[in-house]
């Protein structure tokens, strides 16, 4: 990986990285910290990749202008949960209870972020396991394990050994988005690619996925600005 700067007003610093999985040159602006990453396939000359970034300089500056400040999760903040923005309020006991407009967190206020993260992860695991079981049964297949991570580069993955991985932050997105990602990764149990046959499996399991894919593209990066 190497750092480069696109001159202009203002100059844009970016990280150039090569990936064996990349099939094309792509740019990503982190909604959390504004970091710009230029990813390209192995063997791509620096000049080719950087020329692509220069062509997108105006777009990059627009995206950086829209980058939101990080949100420290705690009592009094607004936090997305299953597609709804909830106000975090103190609660009784030591548990977490989510309603339609607010989420109550018991215990010491300085432990609210940790309790919320635990609650989000457990709820995400429960919902993703249920959806994965359902979709796998529809295909007549099974997966070997389900793990949760906090990844920026992808919302889910399926290994060649049948292991499913999901970002636990999917519980912050609308239910339809979580369902789509589960269907997408389970479909890889049948097709480890993104061929037309793969997308036929996704359509069979989920239906028209254009809306959740668009939501992830437009709003997904913003889920990473919430710091637990």
């Amino acid at each position: 990986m190497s750092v480069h700067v696109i001159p202009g007003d203002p100059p844009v610093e970016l990280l150039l990285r090569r990936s064996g999985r990349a099939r094309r040159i792509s740019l990503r602006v982190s909604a959390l910290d504004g970091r710009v990453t230029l990813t390209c396939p192995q063997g791509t000359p620096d000049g080719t990749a950087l020329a692509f970034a220069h062509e997108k300089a105006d777009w990059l500056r627009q995206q950086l202008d829209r980058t939101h400040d990080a949100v420290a999760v705690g009592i009094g903040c607004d936090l997305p949960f299953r597609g709804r923005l909830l106000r975090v309020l103190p609660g009784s006991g030591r548990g977490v209870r989510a309603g339609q407009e607010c989420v109550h967190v018991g215990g010491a206020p300085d432990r609210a972020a940790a309790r919320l993260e635990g609650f989000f992860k457990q709820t995400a695991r429960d919902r993703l396991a249920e959806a994965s079981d359902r979709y796998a049964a529809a295909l007549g297949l099974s997966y070997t394990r389900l793990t949760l991570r906090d990844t920026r580069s992808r919302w889910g993955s399926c290994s060649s050994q049948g292991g499913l991985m999901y970002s636990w932050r999917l519980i912050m997105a609308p239910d339809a988005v979580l369902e789509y990602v589960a269907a997408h990764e389970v479909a890889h149990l049948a097709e480890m690619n993104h061929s037309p046959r793969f997308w036929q499996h996704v359509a069979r399991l989920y239906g028209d996925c254009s809306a959740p894919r668009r939501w992830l593209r437009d709003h997904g990066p913003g889920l990473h600005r919430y710091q637990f």
Side-chain angles (χ1 to χ4, degrees), residues 60-88:
L60 282 173
R61 292 187 177 94
Q62 290 174 2
Q63 298 304 307
L64 290 168
D65 285 342
R66 296 173 186 171
T67 300
H68 298 290
D69 293 332
V71 175
V73 173
I75 301 298
C77 80
D78 293 321
L79 184 64
F81 177 70
R82 298 181 65 178
R84 304 187 307 273
L85 198 61
L86 306 183
R87 176 62 55 90
V88 179

Side-chain angles (χ1 to χ4, degrees), residues 108-119:
D110 62 356
R111 294 289 299 161
R115 292 186 186 281
L116 282 164
E117 182 175 352
F119 173 74

Side-chain angles (χ1 to χ4, degrees), residues 120-130 146-148 168:
F120 275 35
K121 287 180 176 179
Q122 186 58 57
T123 308
R125 180 176 293 278
D126 292 344
R127 292 187 55 78
L128 285 163
E130 188 279 327
L146 187 154
T147 58
L148 297 182
W168 61 263

